[in-house]
Amino acid sequence: MAEEETPGFKSGFVSLIGRPNVGKSTLLNCLLGEKIAIVSPKPQTTRNRILGIKNLPAAQIIFLDTPGIHRSKDMLNQSMVRTALATLREVDVICLLIEADSPDHEENDWILENLQKVQKPVLLAINKIDRIPKPQILPAIDAYRQLMDFAAIVPISALKGENVDALTKQLIELLPESEPLYPEDFLTDQPERFFVAEMIREKILHHTREEIPY
């Protein structure tokens, strides 16, 4: 009897998208087990596209953390949104984050309109499930199944790490077979000085009461 063929190594790019303050940076840090993206209650904390790499025995996932997608009249915010939307054409898989306690936010509808134009598999991650009773998760899942043909829908808590392993497994299934695109010890494409500046900015965001322009 012939032996079953083992699946090949998988590698590819995953864009983490969603409206501001939905938890993309928290999820990226959780997925990598390293803090490379700053986290703040203020919206639009992420101003650049940040690349983070998760190396596994059978896969390499290259995550792109992007600025929050929203409609704005501010030119800087519009530029940040264009940066986020541009990644949709560069990646192999799109991971859309929504909040479990506000799944029907109007900005989510606008994001879905943009996703309909992109021929890429989209995984929906319903984040912050620690904020609501578990029975309330199922109605949100059923409602979003009617809006788009998602490759998978995974409820998670990025803050507590709940179900993030299941999310990782689903993402790997959607990636193409490929050799690693980066060395095994490579975590990000950003220089050290970038993270020093970001850590300083995070401390300022957490301690100031003044509104900081983005």
Side-chain angles (χ1 to χ4, degrees):
M1 183 175 178
E3 293 184 2
E4 292 184 8
E5 184 179 349
T6 56
F9 193 91
K10 290 194 167 187
S11 182
F13 290 84
V14 175
S15 181
L16 303 176
I17 71 166
R19 64 187 183 86
N21 228 17
V22 78
K24 299 180 297 297
S25 296
T26 301
L27 176 59
L28 178 63
N29 293 336
C30 181
L31 286 162
L32 300 181
E34 298 280 352
K35 184 169 183 175
I36 71 167
I38 69 173
V39 178
S40 168
K42 290 181 179 291
Q44 292 301 85
T45 301
T46 300
R47 299 188 296 184
N48 302 281
R49 185 221 60 158
I50 299 176
L51 181 147
I53 301 168
K54 184 175 184 66
N55 288 294
L56 297 163
Q60 183 182 77
I61 313 176
I62 304 148
F63 292 102
L64 300 179
D65 181 23
T66 62
I69 298 176
H70 67 299
R71 283 173 283 203
S72 173
K73 295 181 179 179
D74 180 85
M75 291 187 65
L76 178 55
N77 280 337
Q78 287 178 3
S79 175
M80 291 160 63
V81 170
R82 285 195 296 270
T83 296
L85 292 175
T87 67
L88 303 184
R89 301 178 182 87
E90 303 171 359
V91 299
D92 301 288
V93 180
I94 298 166
C95 180
L96 169 63
L97 272 74
I98 66 169
E99 292 177 302
D101 54 349
S102 57
D104 55 352
H105 195 283
E106 61 180 11
E107 294 289 1
N108 291 334
D109 296 334
W110 187 65
I111 294 172
L112 287 173
E113 289 177 17
N114 283 277
L115 289 178
Q116 300 285 1
K117 306 170 186 176
V118 182
Q119 300 301 313
K120 301 289 177 69
V122 180
L123 184 151
L124 177 65
I126 302 178
N127 192 25
K128 305 183 183 181
I129 60 172
D130 52 293
R131 291 185 173 184
I132 64 171
K134 292 294 189 288
Q136 293 183 18
I137 299 172
L138 290 177
I141 292 174
D142 290 338
Y144 267 82
R145 279 195 179 123
Q146 308 303 317
L147 298 178
M148 186 171 176
D149 184 19
F150 291 102
I153 300 178
V154 184
I156 65 168
S157 171
L159 182 64
K160 298 183 179 297
E162 186 176 353
N163 226 26
V164 172
D165 286 344
L167 174 66
T168 301
K169 290 178 181 178
Q170 290 286 351
L171 290 172
I172 292 172
E173 288 186 13
L174 297 171
L175 290 177
E177 290 193 5
S178 168
E179 293 298 315
L181 302 175
Y182 289 87
E184 288 185 8
D185 60 349
F186 207 77
L187 178 65
T188 181
D189 62 346
Q190 296 289 353
E192 184 177 354
R193 63 179 180 275
F194 170 83
F195 292 105
V196 172
E198 286 292 274
M199 293 304 111
I200 293 172
R201 189 163 68 92
E202 182 181 48
K203 291 183 183 299
I204 293 172
L205 288 171
H206 277 294
H207 288 93
T208 185
R209 294 185 178 181
E210 297 178 2
E211 189 66 28
I212 297 177
Y214 294 99

